[in-house]
Amino acid sequence: MYNPQETEKEILNFWQKKKIYEKSKKKNSKGKKFYFMDGPPYATGHIHMGTALNKILKDIAMRSRRLQGMDVFDRAGYDTHGVPIEFQIEKEIGSKSKKDIEKFGVEKFVERCKEYATRFIGVMNSEFKNLGVWMDFKNPYLTLSPEYIEAIWDTFKIADEKGLLYLDKYSVHVCPRCETAVAYNEIEYAEQEDVSVFVKFPLKNKKSTLLIIWTTTPWTLPGNTGVMVHPDFVYQEIELKNGERWIMAKELVPKIMSMLELGYIVTTEYKGKEMEGWKYENPLAKNLKLNLKSSYRIVLSGRYVNLEEGTGLVHTAPGHGKEDYEVGKETGLDIVSPVSTNGLLTEEAGKYAGKKARVVDDEIIKDLEKDGYLVYKMKYKHDYPLCWRCKTPLLMIAQPQWFLKISEIHKKLLENNEKVNWIPSWMKLRMRAWLEGISDWPVSRKRYWGTPLPIWICEKCNKKIVVGSIKELEKLSGRKIKEVHKPKIDEVYIKCKCSGKMKRVEDVLDVWFDSGVSSWAALDYLRKQDKFKKFWPADLNLEGRDQIRGWWNSQLILSIIRFNKKPFDNISVHGLVLDIGKKKMSKSLGNIFSPKEIIEKYGRDYLRYYFARISRGEDFAFDEEEFLEIQKVFRILININNYVNQIEKKSSNLEIEDKWILSRFNSMIKETVNNYNSYKFYEVVQILENFLVSDLSRTYIQLTRERADETFEILNKILLEILKLFAPIIPLVTEKIWQELRDKKIMKEESVHLTNWMKVDE
């Protein structure tokens, strides 16, 4: 029986010594192109089951194309920028804020980030190769390299030339721990409990009459500048026993007053549109230091006011919400945001200055209660946005941001998604749903370790230049550029035509912009146009389902901007590897199986076969019992090989059973190749297993045992082709059997991976 540990190491050494991978590349160099685009993982440690699954499925896809004689572009790549890297270094240096980083020194911090980002590349390369993966690991693309950054700058400049780049003070999600904006695809939601409040807003010029609003975020009340009502809803003015008159949506009055257990009488009704422009007072105004010009009035919104919860009057803080911002812009409300990116309230917040958003809720509620403006407070469970890197609750804050105008290309994004072949097919609908909901992309980040925004602005006349390459920057600045990262790049100035000095915008780019240009940056398209013309766009992307909002989203956006077409033809999606209880594997839960453990116990090919057999695009539980079934298949393959090698060669006329197995054999080849080419590897496994176990072993061989010497030619032909068809999935055991056959001079080719699959019509 084949010994996985010894045999697989022997084969890995054979491949390396004989340069089999390199020979296969050379052999197919004039073949039809197949561009496999490797989505860049972070090189932050040893590989886990998820990364093993990913690279194994990729390897199967590429090996299947090489065995069809195709010239496969297979350059590996790594993400090296962004907050995840910064987060690791902050832990190493004990930093808790951006002030700590500044104190440590930006240059030292960036150097530490660069070292950490590349620290594990060699380790991960070796571990991927140890799985039997063939890729160009000697020359991986790195998003921190100058050539890669130039591809980013080039795309960014095209966006500007097409009028898609703009600067605006816009309400965006901000992570107070990372102290920077996060994009829509960097947000995850989790249920949490907050205190929600019903608050009285006194109407001006109407004594004892109060608008009743409801909010789950009391910390945004200092930023209130308006109240939304629905133009078509009916609002009631009701009188309480204490003489106060409250205004709420008619349909919600009974529900709210029943909850408060208060008696009332209805005095007046209004249509929402009659209330437009009514003035009110912010009950916190005396505590604030805001410079307001157009605030504290009722505005209309038929879109953002509903009767499902609240009072039908919506507290509007344009500096703290996307919908609020849109309505504030349309109606001319002041847009104030008295909160910094670190989550602390600013001087504009008056007595609340220096307090932390969300924490300050308690103080605000106490002040409202003391001054008689608090109606009711209650605990409220809701889904709240979190930073998907550090899990910190996010804040909505209006601040100057550089945006890409996705609204201008939205239709093209949807049209091009329809042209992509998604495997499984229902993932196309999921991508469409994601694309339908996206808004303009805030691409700037107020961080340190990342691709610098290539924007220079004159300090004198405010003119803007977007630079598209290092060469262009050298020409404009008149100096040699040796380092493109912060802080060195911030020392590069451009002389403006007005005689002023142009200084770079200090922000870095969203890391998803980095990975979004990968399919042309990996081809080094600015320098190697021939390669780009041959291979681009990518034939296949293969990643986990979470990349819909991540890599596939950013790739599609930037490809439409740069080339006006999609960057990929096929996308194969796999799920997450869960434990047997269908929980996500994590160190904290102690439910992790490492690839190393499985390899030591069963071997690399067992793991590869298992992933090919079970991965169907959805999450799956890792079940070690499946390996017993896999062992049976391996045993049958090896036993058939031993059987064929024992029988004598003797010519004979074809009997009915011979014609049947050859017919099944040809059908099996066609079905197998079609499923490889459709990236349905689980179907490949099922087809091969059925043929090997049922048709060949249990039926044909049993039927022909008495005339075994007459079946050598048929069985040998079938065996050689089965080895080739299995080779993408279990390359090591098939290589071992092939070598044994080669030693017996049954064939000349030194490796099963240097052959091509048989054509069915042969």
Side-chain angles (χ1 to χ4, degrees):
M1 183 65 181
Y2 141 85
N3 183 304
Q5 285 70 27
E6 293 178 15
T7 301
E8 290 180 350
K9 286 180 183 177
E10 175 192 327
I11 297 302
L12 289 172
N13 290 332
F14 166 75
W15 284 345
Q16 184 176 1
K17 184 179 178 182
K18 295 291 185 178
K19 299 187 182 298
I20 303 300
Y21 164 67
E22 291 81 0
K23 287 177 181 177
S24 75
K25 296 275 287 182
K26 185 177 179 181
K27 172 179 172 285
N28 291 350
S29 60
K30 298 193 186 310
K32 183 181 176 183
K33 76 99 175 178
F34 182 79
Y35 180 12
F36 177 79
M37 179 67 241
D38 185 34
Y42 277 108
T44 54
H46 295 278
I47 66 172
H48 51 75
M49 275 300 184
T51 42
L53 164 69
N54 180 260
K55 273 295 193 287
I56 284 170
L57 295 180
K58 289 175 177 179
D59 189 56
I60 292 170
M62 289 184 286
R63 285 181 182 274
S64 70
R65 298 296 171 151
R66 291 192 195 99
L67 283 163
Q68 295 176 72
M70 298 180 81
D71 184 12
V72 178
F73 185 86
D74 56 9
R75 189 180 185 189
Y78 290 97
D79 245 335
T80 54
H81 282 148
V83 174
I85 304 294
E86 289 194 28
F87 195 48
Q88 294 298 327
I89 301 307
E90 286 194 73
K91 286 197 287 188
E92 288 185 10
I93 66 174
S95 167
K96 294 182 180 178
S97 69
K98 288 169 77 173
K99 284 183 181 177
D100 292 338
I101 294 172
E102 300 280 352
K103 188 176 178 181
F104 180 78
V106 173
E107 188 167 1
K108 280 200 298 179
F109 182 76
V110 165
E111 282 303 313
R112 289 282 291 270
C113 287
K114 185 183 291 187
E115 187 277 327
Y116 184 84
T118 55
R119 188 184 300 173
F120 288 98
I121 287 175
V123 171
M124 290 181 71
N125 282 346
S126 296
E127 291 179 349
F128 286 139
K129 285 191 277 188
N130 190 50
L131 293 172
V133 175
W134 279 4
M135 292 187 76
D136 182 4
F137 291 115
K138 288 184 179 178
N139 180 38
Y141 70 86
L142 306 178
T143 57
L144 59 73
S145 72
E147 311 85 59
Y148 195 99
I149 287 174
E150 282 195 296
I152 296 169
W153 282 7
D154 171 78
T155 302
F156 194 84
K157 182 169 184 173
I158 295 293
D160 180 55
E161 290 173 351
K162 289 186 174 182
L164 300 175
L165 178 68
Y166 68 95
L167 177 68
D168 198 2
K169 188 178 182 183
Y170 193 76
S171 193
V172 294
H173 282 98
V174 170
C175 175
R177 190 254 164 256
C178 302
E179 294 184 50
T180 190
V182 298
Y184 39 83
N185 57 336
E186 296 176 310
I187 299 168
E188 61 182 37
Y189 288 83
E191 186 179 77
Q192 69 175 36
E193 189 174 76
D194 286 311
V195 176
S196 69
V197 290
F198 290 82
V199 181
K200 305 171 187 175
F201 279 19
L203 275 177
K204 281 189 173 182
N205 306 320
K206 206 165 185 186
K207 191 178 179 182
S208 297
T209 306
L210 307 143
L211 305 174
I212 308 300
I213 67 95
W214 174 74
T215 181
T216 61
T217 54
W219 64 271
T220 65
L221 287 171
N224 170 273
T225 59
V227 169
M228 285 185 242
V229 300
H230 196 291
D232 301 324
F233 290 173
V234 175
Y235 290 83
Q236 284 186 339
E237 184 177 309
I238 61 173
E239 186 172 334
L240 280 65
K241 289 180 181 179
N242 65 2
E244 287 185 350
R245 292 172 177 252
W246 292 4
I247 296 176
M248 294 179 285
K250 178 180 179 177
E251 288 190 32
L252 294 169
V253 168
K255 174 185 171 184
I256 293 168
M257 299 310 287
S258 173
M259 177 185 73
L260 298 176
E261 298 180 346
L262 292 174
Y264 66 96
I265 59 169
V266 178
T267 60
T268 317
E269 288 186 354
Y270 317 96
K271 268 287 186 80
K273 59 188 174 186
E274 298 174 50
M275 300 166 66
E276 184 179 13
W278 289 8
K279 299 277 189 177
Y280 67 86
E281 296 173 10
N282 184 329
L284 296 177
K286 69 175 186 178
N287 299 325
L288 309 176
K289 295 180 180 178
L290 298 171
N291 181 20
L292 302 175
K293 296 178 181 177
S294 179
S295 293
Y296 304 153
R297 57 184 168 85
I298 291 178
V299 295
L300 303 181
S301 174
R303 186 176 180 187
Y304 297 126
V305 182
N306 62 59
L307 299 173
E308 293 170 11
E309 55 187 0
T311 67
L313 294 98
V314 178
H315 147 59
T316 306
H320 297 303
K322 181 185 170 187
E323 294 86 358
D324 302 46
Y325 179 87
E326 287 178 13
V327 173
K329 268 282 200 187
E330 290 168 5
T331 57
L333 291 174
D334 290 318
I335 297 172
V336 296
S337 187
V339 182
S340 299
T341 53
N342 61 5
L344 299 180
L345 276 70
T346 65
E347 289 184 11
E348 290 180 301
K351 73 166 288 194
Y352 308 114
K355 312 287 175 62
K356 206 163 186 88
R358 290 171 55 81
V359 175
V360 79
D361 284 1
D362 288 341
E363 185 177 348
I364 288 173
I365 292 170
K366 283 178 183 176
D367 286 346
L368 290 169
E369 190 169 21
K370 181 183 69 175
D371 294 334
Y373 294 113
L374 182 69
V375 175
Y376 188 69
K377 64 179 180 178
M378 63 182 184
K379 290 181 178 179
Y380 179 74
K381 285 185 178 180
H382 59 151
D383 285 339
Y384 197 87
L386 308 177
C387 173
W388 78 339
R389 298 299 184 191
C390 65
K391 312 305 178 188
T392 300
L394 301 176
L395 308 174
M396 286 290 279
I397 300 174
Q399 58 178 206
Q401 289 285 326
W402 290 94
F403 289 85
L404 289 184
K405 202 178 291 183
I406 306 304
S407 52
E408 293 287 313
I409 61 169
H410 198 234
K411 186 178 178 182
K412 288 181 180 176
L413 294 174
L414 291 167
E415 287 173 352
N416 276 268
N417 179 57
E418 293 304 308
K419 298 173 185 176
V420 178
N421 177 36
W422 285 84
I423 305 103
S425 59
W426 46 263
M427 289 302 296
K428 178 181 285 189
L429 299 177
R430 191 172 291 183
M431 184 66 177
R432 184 198 302 163
W434 170 259
L435 292 172
E436 284 173 347
I438 65 173
S439 53
D440 287 1
W441 180 4
V443 292
S444 53
R445 298 288 181 273
K446 297 188 182 303
R447 295 299 301 185
Y448 307 96
W449 176 237
T451 298
L453 255 69
I455 304 172
W456 272 257
I457 296 178
C458 180
E459 294 178 322
K460 187 176 178 182
C461 72
N462 212 35
K463 181 184 176 183
K464 168 176 70 82
I465 288 179
V466 175
V467 176
S469 69
I470 294 171
K471 188 176 180 181
E472 181 185 355
L473 180 57
E474 288 178 338
K475 185 178 179 181
L476 289 168
S477 65
R479 59 181 286 182
K480 190 75 175 170
I481 308 300
K482 295 180 179 178
E483 175 57 75
V484 291
H485 288 99
K486 288 175 69 68
K488 292 295 184 184
I489 194 69
D490 296 325
E491 298 169 6
V492 179
Y493 302 102
I494 297 172
K495 189 175 181 181
C496 184
K497 289 180 180 178
C498 76
S499 76
K501 183 168 70 172
M502 302 188 89
K503 188 178 179 183
R504 193 188 76 82
V505 171
E506 292 187 351
D507 297 358
V508 297
L509 269 167
D510 176 6
V511 72
W512 288 110
F513 202 109
D514 284 23
S515 57
V517 306
S518 58
S519 77
W520 51 99
L523 292 166
D524 199 7
Y525 84 113
L526 291 173
R527 294 168 183 78
K528 298 175 181 177
Q529 277 291 310
D530 289 347
K531 182 174 282 189
F532 175 73
K533 286 175 183 176
K534 176 178 178 179
F535 285 102
W536 200 84
D539 292 280
L540 177 65
N541 283 187
L542 195 160
E543 302 295 336
R545 58 177 171 77
D546 56 330
Q547 293 308 319
I548 275 185
R549 69 176 188 171
W551 188 47
W552 292 320
N553 172 72
S554 62
Q555 269 196 96
L556 188 57
I557 289 171
L558 297 180
S559 185
I560 294 298
I561 289 172
R562 182 62 185 82
F563 302 108
N564 204 32
K565 64 182 289 189
K566 59 185 171 61
F568 33 62
D569 292 330
N570 301 278
I571 294 181
S572 180
V573 186
H574 64 75
L576 303 177
V577 186
L578 310 176
D579 70 7
I580 199 67
K582 295 199 172 178
K583 292 179 181 177
K584 188 175 179 180
M585 290 190 181
S586 72
K587 289 180 182 177
S588 60
L589 293 174
N591 61 347
I592 287 180
F593 284 101
S594 73
K596 185 179 178 183
E597 288 176 80
I598 299 301
I599 286 171
E600 287 175 352
K601 197 169 180 180
Y602 299 102
R604 298 153 185 83
D605 274 353
Y606 273 63
L607 183 62
R608 291 174 65 101
Y609 195 89
Y610 173 75
F611 281 146
R613 194 181 206 223
I614 203 166
S615 181
R616 296 167 182 254
E618 298 172 336
D619 297 351
F620 60 89
F622 190 84
D623 186 359
E624 203 175 338
E625 289 187 11
E626 290 275 337
F627 285 72
L628 296 174
E629 293 300 314
I630 294 170
Q631 188 178 50
K632 292 176 186 176
V633 177
F634 277 51
R635 186 179 289 116
I636 288 170
L637 177 62
I638 291 165
N639 287 344
I640 288 174
N641 173 58
N642 293 336
Y643 176 74
V644 175
N645 290 337
Q646 289 169 3
I647 61 180
E648 302 255 339
K649 181 178 178 181
K650 182 179 177 183
S651 52
S652 169
N653 294 327
L654 291 178
E655 300 294 337
I656 188 70
E657 60 267 26
D658 302 329
K659 293 177 181 178
W660 171 78
I661 196 64
L662 288 172
S663 174
R664 284 291 300 118
F665 171 61
N666 280 326
S667 298
M668 179 273 295
I669 293 173
K670 187 175 181 180
E671 289 174 32
T672 302
V673 175
N674 285 343
N675 278 287
Y676 267 124
N677 291 346
S678 301
Y679 312 109
K680 296 176 181 176
F681 305 139
Y682 59 92
E683 293 279 9
V684 169
V685 169
Q686 188 173 335
I687 291 163
L688 286 171
E689 272 190 22
N690 286 342
F691 180 81
L692 182 76
V693 177
S694 180
D695 295 343
L696 192 60
S697 177
R698 292 178 183 166
T699 304
Y700 180 72
I701 289 178
Q702 297 306 320
L703 283 173
T704 59
R705 279 197 178 274
E706 292 182 4
R707 47 184 288 265
D709 55 346
E710 297 177 1
T711 63
F712 175 82
E713 292 289 352
I714 293 171
L715 286 173
N716 190 58
K717 177 182 179 180
I718 290 172
L719 175 62
L720 295 181
E721 198 60 27
I722 281 180
L723 290 176
K724 290 190 281 183
L725 291 168
F726 265 119
I729 297 170
I730 47 173
L732 297 149
V733 67
T734 53
E735 185 75 280
K736 178 61 177 175
I737 295 172
W738 190 270
Q739 286 187 7
E740 290 172 354
L741 296 174
R742 192 195 64 217
D743 291 344
K744 294 178 181 178
K745 301 190 179 340
I746 292 173
M747 90 288 296
K748 293 180 180 179
E749 189 63 72
E750 68 177 326
S751 169
V752 67
H753 303 286
L754 296 179
T755 61
N756 285 344
W757 284 336
M758 180 188 294
K759 295 266 192 324
V760 173
D761 56 9
E762 292 178 356

mmCIF file of all heavy atoms in Angstrom, residues 518-539:
data_model
loop_
_atom_site.group_PDB
_atom_site.id
_atom_site.type_symbol
_atom_site.label_atom_id
_atom_site.label_comp_id
_atom_site.label_asym_id
_atom_site.label_seq_id
_atom_site.Cartn_x
_atom_site.Cartn_y
_atom_site.Cartn_z
ATOM 1 N N SER A 518 -5.260 44.126 -9.222
ATOM 2 C CA SER A 518 -4.309 43.014 -9.262
ATOM 3 C C SER A 518 -4.238 42.300 -10.609
ATOM 4 O O SER A 518 -3.166 41.859 -11.018
ATOM 5 C CB SER A 518 -4.623 41.997 -8.162
ATOM 6 O OG SER A 518 -5.950 41.507 -8.292
ATOM 7 N N SER A 519 -5.371 42.158 -11.308
ATOM 8 C CA SER A 519 -5.343 41.322 -12.519
ATOM 9 C C SER A 519 -4.533 41.952 -13.637
ATOM 10 O O SER A 519 -4.047 41.244 -14.516
ATOM 11 C CB SER A 519 -6.754 40.977 -12.994
ATOM 12 O OG SER A 519 -7.364 42.042 -13.650
ATOM 13 N N TRP A 520 -4.369 43.262 -13.637
ATOM 14 C CA TRP A 520 -3.453 43.861 -14.622
ATOM 15 C C TRP A 520 -2.108 44.226 -14.009
ATOM 16 O O TRP A 520 -1.090 44.164 -14.679
ATOM 17 C CB TRP A 520 -4.090 45.050 -15.342
ATOM 18 C CG TRP A 520 -4.720 46.139 -14.545
ATOM 19 C CD1 TRP A 520 -4.169 47.345 -14.223
ATOM 20 C CD2 TRP A 520 -6.048 46.175 -13.998
ATOM 21 N NE1 TRP A 520 -5.054 48.117 -13.512
ATOM 22 C CE2 TRP A 520 -6.221 47.441 -13.370
ATOM 23 C CE3 TRP A 520 -7.103 45.277 -13.985
ATOM 24 C CZ2 TRP A 520 -7.405 47.814 -12.724
ATOM 25 C CZ3 TRP A 520 -8.279 45.651 -13.352
ATOM 26 C CH2 TRP A 520 -8.424 46.890 -12.731
ATOM 27 N N ALA A 521 -2.092 44.520 -12.713
ATOM 28 C CA ALA A 521 -0.812 44.802 -12.054
ATOM 29 C C ALA A 521 0.066 43.564 -11.994
ATOM 30 O O ALA A 521 1.290 43.648 -12.135
ATOM 31 C CB ALA A 521 -1.057 45.339 -10.646
ATOM 32 N N ALA A 522 -0.529 42.378 -11.794
ATOM 33 C CA ALA A 522 0.236 41.127 -11.728
ATOM 34 C C ALA A 522 0.913 40.825 -13.063
ATOM 35 O O ALA A 522 1.932 40.126 -13.111
ATOM 36 C CB ALA A 522 -0.674 39.969 -11.332
ATOM 37 N N LEU A 523 0.339 41.345 -14.142
ATOM 38 C CA LEU A 523 0.929 41.154 -15.481
ATOM 39 C C LEU A 523 1.965 42.232 -15.793
ATOM 40 O O LEU A 523 2.565 42.217 -16.867
ATOM 41 C CB LEU A 523 -0.172 41.201 -16.542
ATOM 42 C CG LEU A 523 -1.177 40.039 -16.527
ATOM 43 C CD1 LEU A 523 -2.388 40.378 -17.380
ATOM 44 C CD2 LEU A 523 -0.529 38.759 -17.016
ATOM 45 N N ASP A 524 2.152 43.165 -14.824
ATOM 46 C CA ASP A 524 3.087 44.287 -15.022
ATOM 47 C C ASP A 524 2.770 44.991 -16.345
ATOM 48 O O ASP A 524 3.639 45.235 -17.169
ATOM 49 C CB ASP A 524 4.538 43.781 -15.011
ATOM 50 C CG ASP A 524 5.532 44.915 -14.742
ATOM 51 O OD1 ASP A 524 5.084 46.030 -14.433
ATOM 52 O OD2 ASP A 524 6.747 44.676 -14.868
ATOM 53 N N TYR A 525 1.488 45.331 -16.511
ATOM 54 C CA TYR A 525 0.998 45.749 -17.827
ATOM 55 C C TYR A 525 1.591 47.062 -18.322
ATOM 56 O O TYR A 525 1.624 47.316 -19.527
ATOM 57 C CB TYR A 525 -0.536 45.845 -17.805
ATOM 58 C CG TYR A 525 -1.086 47.148 -17.272
ATOM 59 C CD1 TYR A 525 -1.774 48.025 -18.098
ATOM 60 C CD2 TYR A 525 -0.921 47.504 -15.937
ATOM 61 C CE1 TYR A 525 -2.286 49.211 -17.618
ATOM 62 C CE2 TYR A 525 -1.427 48.678 -15.456
ATOM 63 C CZ TYR A 525 -2.111 49.534 -16.291
ATOM 64 O OH TYR A 525 -2.607 50.710 -15.801
ATOM 65 N N LEU A 526 2.091 47.915 -17.418
ATOM 66 C CA LEU A 526 2.684 49.175 -17.880
ATOM 67 C C LEU A 526 4.006 48.952 -18.603
ATOM 68 O O LEU A 526 4.415 49.770 -19.423
ATOM 69 C CB LEU A 526 2.902 50.110 -16.688
ATOM 70 C CG LEU A 526 1.626 50.673 -16.043
ATOM 71 C CD1 LEU A 526 1.965 51.438 -14.774
ATOM 72 C CD2 LEU A 526 0.863 51.561 -17.023
ATOM 73 N N ARG A 527 4.668 47.816 -18.316
ATOM 74 C CA ARG A 527 5.964 47.535 -18.932
ATOM 75 C C ARG A 527 5.917 46.365 -19.910
ATOM 76 O O ARG A 527 6.790 46.242 -20.768
ATOM 77 C CB ARG A 527 6.998 47.217 -17.837
ATOM 78 C CG ARG A 527 7.305 48.390 -16.933
ATOM 79 C CD ARG A 527 8.088 47.939 -15.700
ATOM 80 N NE ARG A 527 8.334 49.043 -14.802
ATOM 81 C CZ ARG A 527 7.430 49.550 -13.973
ATOM 82 N NH1 ARG A 527 6.223 49.019 -13.928
ATOM 83 N NH2 ARG A 527 7.734 50.567 -13.190
ATOM 84 N N LYS A 528 4.932 45.493 -19.762
ATOM 85 C CA LYS A 528 4.886 44.270 -20.581
ATOM 86 C C LYS A 528 3.534 44.164 -21.287
ATOM 87 O O LYS A 528 2.699 43.321 -20.959
ATOM 88 C CB LYS A 528 5.143 43.043 -19.697
ATOM 89 C CG LYS A 528 6.528 43.064 -19.040
ATOM 90 C CD LYS A 528 6.717 41.901 -18.083
ATOM 91 C CE LYS A 528 8.093 41.954 -17.420
ATOM 92 N NZ LYS A 528 8.287 40.878 -16.425
ATOM 93 N N GLN A 529 3.338 45.030 -22.260
ATOM 94 C CA GLN A 529 2.062 45.082 -22.971
ATOM 95 C C GLN A 529 1.757 43.789 -23.724
ATOM 96 O O GLN A 529 0.593 43.395 -23.840
ATOM 97 C CB GLN A 529 2.051 46.265 -23.944
ATOM 98 C CG GLN A 529 1.690 47.588 -23.292
ATOM 99 C CD GLN A 529 0.234 47.649 -22.859
ATOM 100 O OE1 GLN A 529 -0.669 47.344 -23.634
ATOM 101 N NE2 GLN A 529 0.001 48.037 -21.612
ATOM 102 N N ASP A 530 2.793 43.120 -24.232
ATOM 103 C CA ASP A 530 2.570 41.863 -24.967
ATOM 104 C C ASP A 530 1.933 40.810 -24.062
ATOM 105 O O ASP A 530 0.996 40.116 -24.468
ATOM 106 C CB ASP A 530 3.888 41.319 -25.535
ATOM 107 C CG ASP A 530 4.403 42.166 -26.691
ATOM 108 O OD1 ASP A 530 3.620 43.003 -27.185
ATOM 109 O OD2 ASP A 530 5.563 41.999 -27.089
ATOM 110 N N LYS A 531 2.455 40.701 -22.861
ATOM 111 C CA LYS A 531 1.904 39.738 -21.901
ATOM 112 C C LYS A 531 0.478 40.121 -21.534
ATOM 113 O O LYS A 531 -0.418 39.270 -21.441
ATOM 114 C CB LYS A 531 2.791 39.694 -20.647
ATOM 115 C CG LYS A 531 2.321 38.674 -19.626
ATOM 116 C CD LYS A 531 3.306 38.567 -18.472
ATOM 117 C CE LYS A 531 4.526 37.751 -18.843
ATOM 118 N NZ LYS A 531 5.391 37.458 -17.694
ATOM 119 N N PHE A 532 0.256 41.412 -21.328
ATOM 120 C CA PHE A 532 -1.078 41.892 -20.982
ATOM 121 C C PHE A 532 -2.069 41.588 -22.105
ATOM 122 O O PHE A 532 -3.175 41.095 -21.858
ATOM 123 C CB PHE A 532 -1.027 43.398 -20.713
ATOM 124 C CG PHE A 532 -2.374 44.025 -20.469
ATOM 125 C CD1 PHE A 532 -3.046 43.810 -19.277
ATOM 126 C CD2 PHE A 532 -2.971 44.817 -21.436
ATOM 127 C CE1 PHE A 532 -4.293 44.376 -19.051
ATOM 128 C CE2 PHE A 532 -4.218 45.389 -21.226
ATOM 129 C CZ PHE A 532 -4.879 45.172 -20.025
ATOM 130 N N LYS A 533 -1.679 41.847 -23.340
ATOM 131 C CA LYS A 533 -2.568 41.602 -24.484
ATOM 132 C C LYS A 533 -2.863 40.117 -24.657
ATOM 133 O O LYS A 533 -3.951 39.733 -25.081
ATOM 134 C CB LYS A 533 -1.943 42.163 -25.760
ATOM 135 C CG LYS A 533 -1.993 43.688 -25.841
ATOM 136 C CD LYS A 533 -1.248 44.207 -27.056
ATOM 137 C CE LYS A 533 -1.249 45.732 -27.086
ATOM 138 N NZ LYS A 533 -0.444 46.257 -28.218
ATOM 139 N N LYS A 534 -1.887 39.272 -24.326
ATOM 140 C CA LYS A 534 -2.094 37.831 -24.477
ATOM 141 C C LYS A 534 -3.041 37.284 -23.410
ATOM 142 O O LYS A 534 -3.947 36.508 -23.713
ATOM 143 C CB LYS A 534 -0.766 37.080 -24.407
ATOM 144 C CG LYS A 534 -0.948 35.558 -24.451
ATOM 145 C CD LYS A 534 0.364 34.803 -24.428
ATOM 146 C CE LYS A 534 0.112 33.281 -24.424
ATOM 147 N NZ LYS A 534 1.361 32.499 -24.422
ATOM 148 N N PHE A 535 -2.835 37.682 -22.146
ATOM 149 C CA PHE A 535 -3.521 36.999 -21.048
ATOM 150 C C PHE A 535 -4.785 37.697 -20.528
ATOM 151 O O PHE A 535 -5.721 37.024 -20.111
ATOM 152 C CB PHE A 535 -2.555 36.780 -19.877
ATOM 153 C CG PHE A 535 -1.556 35.686 -20.113
ATOM 154 C CD1 PHE A 535 -0.242 35.974 -20.468
ATOM 155 C CD2 PHE A 535 -1.929 34.359 -19.982
ATOM 156 C CE1 PHE A 535 0.671 34.956 -20.688
ATOM 157 C CE2 PHE A 535 -1.022 33.334 -20.194
ATOM 158 C CZ PHE A 535 0.286 33.633 -20.557
ATOM 159 N N TRP A 536 -4.817 39.021 -20.490
ATOM 160 C CA TRP A 536 -5.927 39.721 -19.825
ATOM 161 C C TRP A 536 -7.164 39.723 -20.704
ATOM 162 O O TRP A 536 -7.048 39.842 -21.925
ATOM 163 C CB TRP A 536 -5.496 41.155 -19.496
ATOM 164 C CG TRP A 536 -6.344 41.785 -18.432
ATOM 165 C CD1 TRP A 536 -6.206 41.666 -17.086
ATOM 166 C CD2 TRP A 536 -7.484 42.634 -18.637
ATOM 167 N NE1 TRP A 536 -7.175 42.389 -16.431
ATOM 168 C CE2 TRP A 536 -7.982 42.993 -17.368
ATOM 169 C CE3 TRP A 536 -8.139 43.130 -19.770
ATOM 170 C CZ2 TRP A 536 -9.093 43.813 -17.196
ATOM 171 C CZ3 TRP A 536 -9.249 43.943 -19.607
ATOM 172 C CH2 TRP A 536 -9.717 44.280 -18.333
ATOM 173 N N PRO A 537 -8.371 39.593 -20.172
ATOM 174 C CA PRO A 537 -8.720 39.481 -18.758
ATOM 175 C C PRO A 537 -8.512 38.074 -18.215
ATOM 176 O O PRO A 537 -8.279 37.141 -18.977
ATOM 177 C CB PRO A 537 -10.210 39.854 -18.744
ATOM 178 C CG PRO A 537 -10.708 39.414 -20.080
ATOM 179 C CD PRO A 537 -9.577 39.665 -21.030
ATOM 180 N N ALA A 538 -8.632 37.939 -16.902
ATOM 181 C CA ALA A 538 -8.409 36.646 -16.257
ATOM 182 C C ALA A 538 -9.485 35.649 -16.664
ATOM 183 O O ALA A 538 -10.659 35.989 -16.763
ATOM 184 C CB ALA A 538 -8.399 36.811 -14.736
ATOM 185 N N ASP A 539 -9.064 34.412 -16.913
ATOM 186 C CA ASP A 539 -10.016 33.343 -17.205
ATOM 187 C C ASP A 539 -10.722 32.866 -15.945
ATOM 188 O O ASP A 539 -11.881 32.444 -16.005
ATOM 189 C CB ASP A 539 -9.289 32.165 -17.860
ATOM 190 C CG ASP A 539 -8.794 32.526 -19.251
ATOM 191 O OD1 ASP A 539 -9.604 32.505 -20.179
ATOM 192 O OD2 ASP A 539 -7.601 32.862 -19.381
#
